[in-house]
Amino acid sequence: MSRFPARAVVDLGAVRSNARTLGDLAPTAQVMAVVKADAYGHGLLPVARAAVRGGATWLGVAQVTEALALRAGGVTARVLAWLYAPGAPLAEAVAADVDLSVSAPWAVEEVAAAVRATGRTARVHLKVDTGLGRNGVPPEDLPAVLDALLRLEAEGAVRLVGMWSHLAFADEPGHPSMAAQAAVLHEAVADAERRGARIEVRHIAASASTLTDPALHLDLVRPGLALYGLTPVPQLGGPDRFGLVPAMTVEAELATVKRLPAGHGLSYGHHYVTDRATTVGVVPLGYSDGVPRHASGVGGAPGAPLGVGGRRLAVAGRVCMDQVMVDLGPDATERAGDRVVLFGTGADGGPTAQDWADAAGTISYEIVSRLGPRVPRVHVGADPADAPSPRIEQEVP
Ligand SMILES: *Cc1c(COP(=O)(O)O)cnc(C)c1O
């Protein structure tokens, strides 16, 4: 399948289906598929195309460079980029028809300069810090930023198409801060409209609120994690509870399989010691590939789960830079080259990205998005009309 003895197989059919499911869950809103960070590790362009096939009319990214990569790949859907620092290539973004978020007064200046440089009108979304305390203009600074944007709009330099925000407690459905944050956004929009703004899209919901709170869907929802078939609210159940299908399966070939006697330590520090003569395997993926070292099997506790031939085993001992160990048991029939699944759809009780997150004390976002560049992405299930070039699609990013 590839020369590297491991891969992330990304099911684009699952991405299309998840995009459709999210659209059905938010029938009053447009779907902005969030594809930042190389589509959470799944591969930017194939995922973006699949999301559009699944009905997403917008794509969302953090960095301007990510938006430009979408355009360079021929993606024509609306694209919003929301995180950049002074000196970002905003003129290129405006020339490439990318919508830009504005989160600070300096950004208004830089957007205006990009408009002068390109002679094109910029579409902007004003981000309001309604309480997250991260990016966005605090309510008390809004009037000045709004005045500046509406002046530029009167000159034809910008179109203020969006006002938006992001939630602090979306993964705790029902948390009272969410209605309060939404109220601050609604108040800001009402004020802008009193001053003559004509806002096309108001948006505040990422995956969690798309899945759990229709009152927050507004005109557009911005799901990322759910597009990949994972859930930000695992306390409510697995992805299947929402009709989502995990898109990524990470698998490897066993590099070495051998017998070891009882009482033999495995991996650095011998945190795992065989309790009987057994067969052990080496899985050729490690922390440099994004396998969290916190998922080690140490102190008598099993590490993160591994699926081997329909059995559910666990990482034994320390996760190393390039490899992890597994105790296959005294009666193992596995041989070098046999397949090990780190995580996948979870069908038939197989391990999931959520299992890995639980084992490592983190969230599934981090498990998929930190998968390293050395691991080839293999995209399957592309819509034939998207005519992927297999060579390019499988290249290491
Ligand atoms: C990453 C991000 C999203 C998507 O979040 P998910 O929880 O993955 O759905 C939406 N909006 C903003 C501003 C983000 O940074």
Side-chain angles (χ1 to χ4, degrees):
M1 217 168 180
S2 67
R3 286 158 189 275
F4 193 80
R7 67 205 59 80
V9 180
V10 176
D11 178 1
L12 297 173
V15 174
R16 285 195 301 278
S17 145
N18 294 332
R20 257 182 247 116
T21 297
L22 291 161
D24 292 346
L25 278 169
T28 60
Q30 299 186 68
V31 173
M32 173 187 285
V34 176
V35 293
K36 62 191 179 186
D38 198 32
Y40 292 37
H42 292 65
L44 177 70
L45 288 172
V47 165
R49 293 185 195 114
V52 169
R53 289 269 163 217
T57 48
W58 291 73
L59 297 166
V61 291
Q63 296 288 345
V64 172
T65 48
E66 298 177 304
L68 295 174
L70 285 168
R71 289 290 184 248
V75 173
T76 56
R78 288 284 285 275
V79 174
L80 172 65
W82 56 68
L83 182 65
Y84 50 90
L90 298 193
E92 276 180 68
V94 172
D97 209 31
V98 170
D99 287 45
L100 291 167
S101 176
V102 160
S103 281
W106 66 260
V108 181
E109 303 298 320
E110 296 217 0
V111 169
V115 168
R116 285 193 298 275
T118 58
R120 296 184 56 142
T121 302
R123 286 192 304 269
V124 303
H125 299 231
L126 176 54
K127 185 160 195 188
V128 184
D129 183 356
T130 57
L132 175 58
R134 198 174 71 174
N135 214 4
V137 180
E140 53 277 22
D141 299 339
L142 268 180
V145 175
L146 205 46
D147 282 348
L149 285 174
L150 291 175
R151 256 196 319 275
L152 289 169
E153 185 160 75
E155 296 165 9
V158 308
R159 234 336 253 123
L160 176 57
V161 293
M163 288 183 69
W164 71 299
S165 193
H166 197 51
L167 296 164
F169 289 93
D171 55 355
E172 296 179 31
H175 194 285
S177 66
M178 283 191 277
Q181 284 195 253
V184 173
L185 179 63
H186 286 305
E187 181 53 42
V189 171
D191 182 56
E193 289 179 338
R194 277 193 295 274
R195 291 165 194 241
R198 289 161 296 123
I199 305 301
E200 181 191 333
V201 283
R202 305 158 299 147
H203 45 111
I204 196 166
S207 291
S209 304
T210 305
L211 297 176
T212 63
D213 193 349
L216 298 172
H217 290 170
L218 310 187
D219 305 311
L220 180 152
V221 292
R222 304 188 308 269
L225 193 73
L227 182 69
Y228 308 102
L230 302 174
T231 168
V233 283
Q235 70 275 29
L236 300 184
D240 52 319
R241 179 184 185 285
F242 302 104
L244 301 170
V245 181
M248 182 190 284
T249 297
V250 173
E251 59 181 32
E253 275 91 55
L254 284 168
T256 296
V257 175
K258 65 182 178 190
R259 294 289 294 179
L260 285 179
H264 202 298
L266 298 189
S267 192
Y268 294 126
H270 283 181
H271 291 278
Y272 181 94
V273 178
T274 57
D275 59 1
R276 70 269 189 255
T278 188
T279 300
V280 299
V282 173
V283 182
L285 284 173
Y287 60 76
S288 68
D289 300 303
V291 176
R293 193 166 175 274
H294 280 99
S296 297
V298 302
L306 296 167
V308 184
R311 294 186 293 155
R312 195 179 166 104
L313 304 175
V315 172
R318 280 268 184 244
V319 173
C320 311
M321 184 181 288
D322 313 296
Q323 48 200 309
V324 302
M325 302 292 299
V326 56
D327 184 343
L328 297 165
D331 304 322
T333 55
E334 280 77 21
R335 305 161 61 131
D338 284 356
R339 180 171 179 259
V340 175
V341 174
L342 281 78
F343 58 85
T345 62
D348 304 323
T352 64
Q354 185 63 46
D355 293 332
W356 274 79
D358 294 342
T362 183
I363 53 180
S364 58
Y365 293 79
E366 196 176 356
I367 298 299
V368 291
S369 69
R370 293 190 75 171
L371 194 71
R374 184 165 65 172
V375 182
R377 273 57 167 182
V378 177
H379 293 98
V380 300
D383 188 294
D386 286 332
S389 149
R391 276 175 56 104
I392 293 177
E393 305 286 345
Q394 292 184 20
E395 226 165 57
V396 174

